[in-house]
């Protein structure tokens, strides 16, 4: 990833997160889009991050844990840094590039891609 693209994605990630009316529901949608079982999503949303220790380690792991940290932060845990939500969009795009089967569900969960198109519009795959 180029430095310019990285900077653009970081800015987009921050703006994407700041636009969320319901950030907890958004985090839950991203968690579900990673393909994890419903029990893992429920544990993450309820703030039981200790339950995640047995989850599989794969390419979706970092995005799943980041969205879980956001959920915990939003529930008032305060243990995680405040900018965790801004990392979700760029991580989801990167995961969609690495795991094409997850690209559409992640695009739908994000709700807005860097070029301004909605995931359901044609040609929404990131370059």
């Amino acid at each position: 990833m180029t430095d310019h693209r990285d900077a653009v994605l970081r800015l987009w990630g921050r703006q994407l997160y700041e636009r969320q009316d319901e950030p907890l529901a958004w985090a839950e949608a991203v968690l579900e889009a990673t393909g994890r079982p419903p029990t893992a999503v429920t544990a993450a949303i309820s703030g039981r991050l200790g339950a995640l220790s047995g989850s599989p380690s794969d390419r979706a792991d970092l995005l799943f844990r980041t969205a879980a940290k956001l959920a915990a932060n939003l529930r008032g845990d305060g243990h995680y840094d405040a900018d965790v939500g801004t990392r979700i969009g760029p991580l989801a795009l990167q995961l969609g590039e690495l795991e094409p089967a997850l690209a559409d569900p992640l695009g739908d969960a994000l709700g807005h891609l860097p070029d301004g198109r909605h995931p359901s519009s044609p040609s929404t795959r990131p370059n």
Side-chain angles (χ1 to χ4, degrees):
M1 191 178 304
T2 65
D3 289 340
H4 174 71
R5 182 170 185 241
D6 191 45
V8 167
L9 288 179
R10 280 196 314 267
L11 176 62
W12 165 74
R14 188 183 81 216
Q15 292 171 340
L16 178 66
Y17 173 67
E18 289 173 351
R19 278 195 293 270
Q20 300 306 317
D21 292 329
E22 298 290 338
L24 190 58
W26 180 65
E28 183 174 13
V30 172
L31 289 167
E32 290 171 350
T34 65
R36 290 293 192 271
T39 53
V41 172
T42 300
I45 285 297
S46 67
R48 296 191 322 267
L49 299 184
L52 302 181
S53 61
S55 65
S57 179
D58 57 21
R59 291 178 174 161
D61 189 56
L62 180 58
L63 175 60
F64 189 86
R65 289 179 181 277
T66 303
K69 289 176 184 181
L70 174 63
N73 203 12
L74 292 170
R75 292 187 177 278
D77 180 304
H79 180 72
Y80 296 101
D81 52 310
D83 75 336
V84 69
T86 68
R87 291 182 241 146
I88 289 176
L91 286 172
L93 280 182
Q94 183 180 25
L95 179 60
E97 291 171 354
L98 295 171
E99 298 284 346
L102 295 178
D104 286 339
L106 287 169
D108 289 342
L110 291 180
H112 178 270
L113 297 176
D115 61 7
R117 289 177 293 190
H118 188 271
S120 62
S121 66
S123 303
T124 57
R125 284 284 198 293
N127 294 329

